[in-house]
Amino acid sequence: MSDAALSAAETLPASRYPIDALLADIGGVPVSLEPTDIKRKSRDYYWYSPILNARLKDKFADIIVTPRDEADVIRVAGACYRHRIPLTLRGGATGNYGQCVPLEGGVVLDMAAMNQIEWQKPGIVRVQAGAKLFDIDAQTRPNGWELRMHPSTKRMSQIGGFVAGGSGGVGSVTYGGMREPGNILAARIVTMEEAPRVIELRGDAAQKISRAYGTTGIITVLEMPLAPALPWIDVIVAFDDFAEAIRFGQAIAMADGITKKLLAPIQWPLPENFSAIRPYCPDGKAVVLGMIGAMSIESFETLLEPFAGTVTYKTPSEDALNKTPLYEHTWNHCTLQMFKVDRGITYLQVLYPHDRVVEAATEIGAKFPGEVMQHLEFIRINGLMTASGIPVIRYSTPERLYEIMAAYEACGIMIANPHVLTLEDGSRYKRVDADQLGYKHEVDPLGLLNPGKMRSFVPRSPGPLQ
Amino acid sequence: MSDAALSAAETLPASRYPIDALLADIGGVPVSLEPTDIKRKSRDYYWYSPILNARLKDKFADIIVTPRDEADVIRVAGACYRHRIPLTLRGGATGNYGQCVPLEGGVVLDMAAMNQIEWQKPGIVRVQAGAKLFDIDAQTRPNGWELRMHPSTKRMSQIGGFVAGGSGGVGSVTYGGMREPGNILAARIVTMEEAPRVIELRGDAAQKISRAYGTTGIITVLEMPLAPALPWIDVIVAFDDFAEAIRFGQAIAMADGITKKLLAPIQWPLPENFSAIRPYCPDGKAVVLGMIGAMSIESFETLLEPFAGTVTYKTPSEDALNKTPLYEHTWNHCTLQMFKVDRGITYLQVLYPHDRVVEAATEIGAKFPGEVMQHLEFIRINGLMTASGIPVIRYSTPERLYEIMAAYEACGIMIANPHVLTLEDGSRYKRVDADQLGYKHEVDPLGLLNPGKMRSFVPRSPGPLQ
């Protein structure tokens, strides 16, 4: 929906919640009741999915609340609990599953103002949940460190939203996904109770908020492990044959002596939409986009020799807000680049079997020529190197989409369905092994946090309004 | 053999080579003809193997030559070629297979004086072959880098000897072994010819000198990739059960979010010999020795919770020449610690199957209780996490030793026999995929470099002496 369309619709239905009572309780905490604000801040990139778009486009908050600090969060949480008002966390809103869309209205808690770094130690940063990934890297790099992984939306995303919804990204080829032990050190949360508690979840316990969409506590602070900030080289390699591109990507992926942050084989015609790097993506060719450690770039090219590929681009990575980075052509940005020229598409999220990556990709590709366009991102999962993928799909009907999903699964490729709203339906291999449902009962007994997203949760009887 | 024993035997048999003619040709290059020097510099730690000890204890050089620079190396090589004198490279002599023992006498080329760092770039060091690993780390760490891997003999080893004979070590749990693409960037060699050439082997070509015992050229300079120098924590965890120790080690090994440099489960009674850390090795317990990134130590302890193990030691790693480091209880130093109290042992080198590490270790352990004492070092190989091991064996006869080796292989555990002299017999899974034999014909046509170590090599007819 364009901003113009938003402004045209300036009124919203009256709220079913006692918003005035809430306002009286949280006086001083910045809020917005402007319909334009409310509409803009009630959505994310769910429109990549025509199915989610239909279900979410008329879901709006009643009020946007922007806490300045943890004390504000506690006041808002307590007030929401007393007045039985749902509260949905909003980070950078770069997700694609409606993670931050308030299905039941109520408060959208916009974390953008809580964006401070609390401290840095060698290899660790402690940061408020609303800090942008880009800004975190900018502040840790002078000390020699950077985030271990980030989504392709790094220029906009916030760390809280990434941890609450993301599963991995650029960097996961080395560190695995967010769910791997050691990739979240601690989370500080505020509970949704009469008297909200502040809880520090350390170690394994921090997984209780990982990929839980903010249903298991209001994340205020995160302690994240860092990676050494290395000199990265952006590289593009072109191949006549997509399978050859995958084979080469896998050879680099499996070479532990080659330091890397990104390895993405991408099938033609997807590169046709890569306006920022189009000159380096020859017509009709598959490409591998990579971020390779400068100390490994010669070895990377040596390993390319037996493959039928040509380096078309090789230049030091640059993280600048005003420049499209190479990684914004991988992961779900690959879909976005195509949306810019073609709205008739959607996408899936898949995980290739680690011991049959090339075979499975070839097999599924042969079944849907022209309809399924593949790109793979190599990642480690459970200690094994494999590849996830976010295939771009020419969209016709939901039925056809589900048919394609079934075909993927028949090829041994796992699906994490991005066309559903709930954690349980969407996550599968991305789910962590923590008792998030049990924990929700402890910290959000009435189910007021992002209601509708944790399908298995049944709140205890709310009791009378106070 | 003790130094006292060496001094007692002060004379050596007359040389079969024209050493005087050599001396005339290389005037100015430092040499030693002292029997004590010659005997000391003609051996390494081959005496770990009673079989090699019997074969090597009377193999001596005729002269020790200590080049100051590449020009010296060229003069010595040319003179050796003209006079048909064998030349064997010597680094820190910390190997265990007689790599630097001159089977046919002649020159031992002691590289110790060629120990300069040529330059450093982010993630890369270019260094003369005789530089000690300890000194390289000391000079790269202030810039934020360290060697990716080192043997447990780091305090004595030289980089040239490690590359020419080693296969991996502390650090290989992350970067794999030396043979993995990207772990050697380049080597500069001098050929053994009438007019010695200087050749720069870059990329894949550098593998021609990897683990070739100096048979494929005289390595003068190496360009090595580096790892970020991280704050490491030495940790010891004690377990009642050795299999549980392996299971925990493997869980950490497979956790890509936990940064590590060393992970070694060690069976009792081996820790009984660890005098420097004995207070942290409880009687009768298996231990896991680890070097864990400081940013991951809390996650390490979290992952320990479901295992029946107890942290007994946890302190920042310190690399000091006058202090026994934790890693000097792992790899083949584990054997050395036992040799200090018990000479009736020897060892093997093994590679556990990556998908049956615990099972295979348990199976072989049950076959030889008290006779085989296992310790494992987790390493990556070909992109998969597995474990190598250097079991300590109570030695009786060569026949019994070969029986034990056969039992290992029957359990699916590969053997790299450390009781043989030649590359072909010893290396197996450690061999690189480069045509070292073909290359030797190009750079050492007469087979004068470390003769007897590359069994498959047949020199061309040497022609008349010049």
Side-chain angles (χ1 to χ4, degrees), chain A residues 328-407:
Chain A
E328 282 191 14
H329 305 87
T330 64
W331 294 88
N332 223 358
H333 253 87
C334 191
T335 316
L336 182 60
Q337 302 299 352
M338 187 146 182
F339 265 123
K340 290 178 183 171
V341 295
D342 184 346
R343 300 294 284 210
I345 57 161
T346 188
Y347 75 108
L348 291 174
Q349 296 179 134
V350 308
L351 184 70
Y352 296 86
H354 72 92
D355 51 354
R356 289 181 54 247
V357 172
V358 179
E359 297 80 350
T362 305
E363 191 181 336
I364 193 70
K367 284 191 205 294
F368 302 99
E371 189 173 5
V372 166
M373 292 155 275
Q374 295 183 84
H375 58 106
L376 281 65
E377 281 81 23
F378 283 95
I379 60 163
R380 285 193 195 278
I381 188 163
N382 296 334
L384 294 170
M385 182 65 78
T386 185
S388 64
I390 312 188
V392 178
I393 315 280
R394 288 212 172 279
Y395 185 68
S396 50
T397 63
E399 293 68 31
R400 178 63 176 169
L401 189 58
Y402 280 91
E403 211 171 295
I404 294 171
M405 284 191 222

Side-chain angles (χ1 to χ4, degrees), chain A residues 122-124 145 148 174-176 180-186 202-205 223 225-226 228-231 253-259 294-296 298-299 302-303 305 354 380-385, chain B residues 122-124 145 148 174-176 180-186 202-205 223 225-226 228-231 253-259 294-296 298-299 302-303 305 354 380-385:
Chain A
I124 307 179
W145 302 95
R148 287 182 169 184
T174 296
Y175 290 98
E180 297 293 335
N183 282 336
I184 305 171
L185 298 181
R202 295 206 68 87
D204 209 32
E223 201 174 304
L226 299 171
L230 300 182
M254 297 295 276
D256 289 308
I258 295 185
T259 298
M295 74 295 291
S296 294
E298 184 180 354
S299 306
T302 297
L303 218 58
E305 283 165 17
H354 72 92
R380 285 193 195 278
I381 188 163
N382 296 334
L384 294 170
M385 182 65 78
Chain B
I124 306 180
W145 303 94
R148 288 182 168 184
T174 295
Y175 289 97
E180 297 293 334
N183 281 336
I184 305 172
L185 298 181
R202 293 207 70 87
D204 209 32
E223 201 174 305
L226 299 172
L230 300 181
M254 297 297 275
D256 288 309
I258 295 187
T259 299
M295 73 295 291
S296 294
E298 184 179 355
S299 306
T302 296
L303 218 58
E305 283 165 17
H354 72 93
R380 286 195 194 278
I381 189 163
N382 296 333
L384 295 170
M385 183 65 79

Side-chain angles (χ1 to χ4, degrees), chain B residues 10-248:
Chain B
E10 271 178 6
T11 54
L12 288 165
S15 175
R16 50 190 147 149
Y17 305 108
I19 299 298
D20 288 345
L22 173 78
L23 283 168
D25 279 10
I26 64 168
V29 181
V31 302
S32 174
L33 290 160
E34 282 296 315
T36 310
D37 278 349
I38 286 177
K39 288 196 165 182
R40 185 185 295 122
K41 294 205 166 168
S42 295
R43 48 189 191 133
D44 64 8
Y45 285 77
Y46 61 72
W47 53 266
Y48 281 30
S49 161
I51 295 170
L52 289 186
N53 195 51
R55 291 182 63 181
L56 295 178
K57 63 177 195 269
D58 60 354
K59 304 293 183 192
F60 301 117
D62 295 292
I63 184 169
I64 310 298
V65 180
T66 308
R68 297 156 299 185
D69 53 27
E70 194 175 76
D72 279 358
V73 173
I74 292 169
R75 285 177 68 199
V76 173
C80 282
Y81 184 90
R82 280 191 299 281
H83 301 299
R84 309 293 189 254
I85 303 175
L87 184 153
T88 299
L89 277 169
R90 177 184 170 89
T94 54
N96 298 102
Y97 329 115
Q99 168 184 349
C100 67
V101 175
L103 296 182
E104 305 293 333
V107 168
V108 157
L109 198 72
D110 180 356
M111 297 300 290
M114 289 181 64
N115 62 357
Q116 298 302 300
I117 289 186
E118 292 197 347
W119 50 253
Q120 297 183 48
K121 290 180 190 170
I124 306 180
V125 66
R126 190 168 167 105
V127 61
Q128 289 184 322
K132 285 186 178 174
L133 304 183
F134 185 92
D135 295 337
I136 297 172
D137 266 9
Q139 291 178 72
T140 56
R141 281 217 181 108
N143 299 319
W145 303 94
E146 63 186 22
L147 287 167
R148 288 182 168 184
M149 65 195 75
H150 63 77
S152 64
T153 52
K154 177 185 167 188
R155 290 197 289 174
M156 296 168 66
S157 295
Q158 296 173 12
I159 187 69
F162 182 41
V163 168
S167 57
V170 180
S172 292
V173 68
T174 295
Y175 289 97
M178 196 67 84
R179 49 164 276 177
E180 297 293 334
N183 281 336
I184 305 172
L185 298 181
R188 187 173 163 101
I189 63 160
V190 171
T191 65
M192 186 51 127
E193 296 174 290
E194 171 78 33
R197 292 169 293 155
V198 175
I199 299 175
E200 175 92 3
L201 297 167
R202 293 207 70 87
D204 209 32
Q207 288 291 349
K208 292 186 190 304
I209 54 84
S210 172
R211 207 176 166 73
Y213 291 1
T215 59
T216 55
I218 302 169
I219 308 166
T220 56
V221 177
L222 286 159
E223 201 174 305
M224 303 295 289
L226 299 172
L230 300 181
W232 298 110
I233 307 284
D234 289 340
V235 60
I236 303 176
V237 189
F239 296 83
D240 286 339
D241 179 34
F242 181 48
E244 181 80 348
I246 303 174
R247 274 190 292 272
F248 171 66

Side-chain angles (χ1 to χ4, degrees), chain A residues 233-238 276-277 279-281 288-290 297 300 310-318 323-324 326:
Chain A
I233 307 283
D234 289 343
V235 60
I236 303 177
V237 189
I277 54 171
Y280 313 105
C281 300
V288 170
L289 304 192
I297 193 69
F300 175 90
T310 308
V311 173
T312 60
Y313 182 80
K314 184 174 67 170
T315 203
S317 306
E318 192 190 349
K323 200 185 158 205
T324 305
L326 187 75

